[in-house]
């Protein structure tokens, strides 16, 4: 399953499965705890070699006992805390020496969490603490000198208020650095406490984990904003909720209902999407170049053509049958000396551009990269009036700063806007203000919310760039193309890489892809090209890497 869930959606699926009798809450909690323990040993196999052995006698954290593994489990007042008690019991059975803390009132624990609290009490002690003690009081977070692991099961996906109190010491960089120096690992259950699972933003402060174990599927906050930084590494543990392959499942019915009410967010990732790349990336026998479209990409004037040339190269490499650069007369000779497979067409003012667009075979346009604000302001309306598939990037967006309504009134459903953060702010200043505001409660306003709102306002697909690229359509469809964790591609932070992405999307539009599909596929391939090349990447390398990426996925 490639869907990402919000906290409310995950709770709805769990509730549907429980109410249908498919599973009990206690079973889900037990599987969650086992998933955390399995993930701990998978991530740090050295724990297997430290001499821990199953134990039936109580073992609370006490004096150092040689090489015995030692952990502190911090449990919160809800079901996330219940998961923590399961983790403590399972680690105890593996011979760990444990200190278990409950931040809250045991009498007020939810029923399933209370059962697991009592199960742990049969094995060891629980040190109860108030949720909001005076800050910086050592007794609330007593870390012994020898400690191997901290399990953060304080607050999971349901956090709605600022994370504070003494346990927020764990969120302080100095404390995290000290723990790292001492070799203490931090694992968070579902989400690091303090992190909004819907937005990837800290509510107050948030714990920085080395490993985060999510259940059933990743949540949106694991992949956007600061989520990856706080999560460390995210893995997903199955807890027995039925999958899409079980059509009679109540959980699936709940998922379908949720999708109808609010379209779920998809994640674009290697495993999910290489098998779903549209089959017409293939070129078929007997087709000719015009079968794969003709893209026109407008450039700026003399000494300002490099960005458009990068975009054009990207469009050609991704399979557009023909690609033409539309250049002002002042740049014709400069561009002609640089190109081979690309064609050149003189495009000066609005009237000349309209004449060029009389060629109906020009089915995809790209305006913005290196174009110049004045030229963009003159020519973008002409392009939009032609109603062709159109990518607007860079200067084509900046040109409408101060009067974005003038652009929105002309956009149509074949358009794709590809702003980075600054360009997004110029077109959507009020949305940007909401996104930049410090969250005081959860769920916080997210980049997903912002991109969806922008797409609805613009009436077309918006691709909001960044390592957590979010792509949204006016009807609410939304995808995240996250270059984090094992898909990290920091080399994309280089001049011109966004121009190549605009070219990829334009080339796919020329080939007949729908705007949302073109944006998703182009963004996914963009990251894959960077990962394939690796360090030392410059923008010119991205189009040239594309054949290797496509070959490796059998396209």
């Amino acid at each position: 399953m490639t869907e990402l869930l919000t906290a409310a959606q995950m709770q709805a699926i769990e509730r549907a499965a429980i109410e249908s009798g498919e599973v009990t809450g206690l079973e889900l909690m037990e599987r969650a705890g086992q998933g955390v323990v399995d993930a701990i040993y998978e991530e740090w196999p050295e724990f297997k070699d430290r001499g821990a052995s199953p134990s039936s006698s109580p073992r609370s954290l006490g004096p150092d006992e040689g090489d015995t593994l030692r952990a502190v489990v911090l449990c919160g007042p809800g079901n996330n805390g219940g998961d923590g008690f399961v983790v403590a019991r399972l680690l105890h059975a593996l011979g760990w020496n444990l200190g278990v803390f409950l931040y809250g009132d045991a009498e007020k624990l939810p029923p399933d969490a209370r059962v697991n609290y009592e199960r742990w009490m049969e094995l060891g002690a629980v040190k109860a603490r108030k949720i909001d003690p005076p800050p910086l009081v050592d007794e609330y977070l007593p870390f012994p000198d020898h400690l191997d692991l901290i399990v953060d099961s304080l607050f999971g996906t349901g956090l709605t208020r600022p994370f504070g109190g003494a346990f927020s010491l764990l969120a302080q960089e100095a404390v995290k650095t000290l723990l790292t120096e001492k070799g203490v690992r931090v694992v968070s259950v579902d989400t690091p406490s303090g992190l909004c699972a819907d937005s990837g933003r800290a509510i107050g402060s948030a714990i920085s984990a080395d490993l985060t174990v999510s259940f059933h599927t990743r949540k949106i906050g694991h992949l956007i904003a600061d989520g990856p930084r706080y999560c460390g590494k995210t893995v997903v543990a199955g807890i027995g909720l039925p999958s899409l392959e079980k059509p009679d499942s109540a959980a699936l019915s709940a998922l379908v209902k949720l999708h109808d009410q609010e379209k779920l967010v998809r994640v674009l990732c290697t495993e999910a999407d290489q098998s779903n790349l549209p089959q017409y990336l293939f070129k078929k026998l007997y087709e000719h170049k015009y079968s794969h479209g003709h893209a026109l990409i407008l450039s700026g004037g003399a000494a300002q053509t490099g960005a458009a040339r990068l975009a054009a190269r990207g469009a050609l490499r991704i399979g557009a049958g023909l690609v033409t650069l539309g250049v002002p007369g002042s740049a014709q000779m400069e561009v002609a000396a640089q190109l081979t497979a690309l064609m050149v067409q003189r495009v000066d003012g609005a009237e000349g551009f309209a004449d060029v667009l009389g060629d109906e075979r020009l089915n995809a346009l790209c305006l913005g990269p290196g174009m110049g604000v004045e030229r963009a302001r003159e020519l973008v309306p002409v392009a939009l009036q032609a109603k062709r598939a159109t990518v607007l990037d860079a200067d084509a967006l900046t040109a409408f700063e101060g009067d974005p309504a003038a652009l929105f009134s002309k956009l149509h459903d074949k358009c794709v806007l590809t702003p980075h953060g600054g360009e997004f702010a110029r077109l959507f200043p009020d949305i940007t203000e909401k996104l930049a505001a410090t969250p005081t409660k959860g769920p916080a306003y997210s980049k997903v919310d912002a991109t969806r709102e922008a797409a609805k306002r613009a009436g077309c697909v918006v691709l909001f760039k960044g390592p957590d690229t979010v792509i949204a359509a006016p009807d609410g469809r939304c995808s995240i193309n996250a270059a984090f964790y094992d898909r990290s591609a920091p080399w994309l932070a280089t001049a011109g890489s966004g121009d190549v992405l605009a070219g990829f999307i334009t080339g796919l539009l020329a080939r007949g892809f729908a705007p949302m599909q073109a944006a998703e596929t182009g963004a996914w391939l963009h990251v894959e090209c960077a990962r394939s090349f690796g360090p030392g990447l410059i923008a010119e390398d991205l189009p040239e890497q594309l054949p290797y990426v496509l070959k490796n996925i059998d396209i």
Side-chain angles (χ1 to χ4, degrees), residues 251-467:
L252 176 58
S253 298
L255 185 65
V256 171
K257 184 178 179 181
L258 285 166
H259 191 279
D260 291 340
Q261 293 171 344
E262 178 187 351
K263 287 183 169 59
L264 301 177
V265 178
R266 293 179 62 242
V267 58
L268 307 180
C269 62
T270 304
E271 303 79 31
D273 289 275
Q274 71 176 33
S275 61
N276 292 331
L277 285 174
Q279 290 300 301
Y280 46 86
L281 269 175
F282 289 96
K283 290 193 173 183
K284 299 180 178 65
L285 195 62
Y286 305 121
E287 290 182 337
H288 53 82
K289 57 190 176 185
Y290 283 105
S291 302
H292 302 287
H294 187 174
L296 174 64
I297 297 174
L298 299 192
S299 83
Q304 295 178 324
T305 64
R309 285 189 278 114
L310 285 169
R313 188 73 174 179
L316 192 64
R317 275 292 188 197
I318 212 160
L322 301 92
V323 179
T324 294
L325 267 172
V327 304
S330 63
Q332 267 189 291
M333 294 302 294
E334 172 189 318
V335 169
Q338 300 284 342
L339 305 181
T340 306
L342 299 168
M343 297 183 293
V344 182
Q345 170 71 55
R346 181 167 179 167
V347 176
D348 282 312
E351 186 176 346
F353 187 27
D355 289 342
V356 170
L357 291 177
D359 184 350
E360 295 291 337
R361 295 175 299 181
L362 291 168
N363 66 332
L365 311 175
C366 177
L367 291 83
M371 191 177 179
V373 170
E374 291 184 11
R375 180 167 162 82
R377 194 177 292 120
E378 179 184 11
L379 299 187
V380 166
V382 179
L384 296 177
Q385 189 174 5
K387 303 296 183 182
R388 314 283 168 83
T390 302
V391 175
L392 298 181
D393 185 38
D395 291 339
L397 305 176
T398 300
F400 294 89
E401 181 179 15
D403 189 16
L407 174 63
F408 299 154
S409 65
K410 297 176 177 64
L411 292 170
H412 52 79
D413 60 5
K414 295 180 183 178
C415 294
V416 179
L417 310 185
T418 59
H420 57 49
E423 293 153 358
F424 189 92
R426 292 170 197 136
L427 291 181
F428 308 101
D430 56 325
I431 297 176
T432 301
E433 186 177 354
K434 286 194 288 184
L435 188 59
T438 300
T440 57
K441 62 181 182 178
Y445 193 75
S446 73
K447 190 172 181 178
V448 165
D449 298 323
T451 311
R452 276 178 160 159
E453 188 173 350
K456 186 174 182 180
R457 181 179 302 177
C460 66
V461 169
V462 174
L463 182 150
F464 191 172
K465 288 187 284 198

Side-chain angles (χ1 to χ4, degrees), residues 66-79:
D67 204 34
T68 301
L69 291 163
R70 292 155 66 84
V72 166
V73 182
L74 306 177
C75 300
N79 282 328

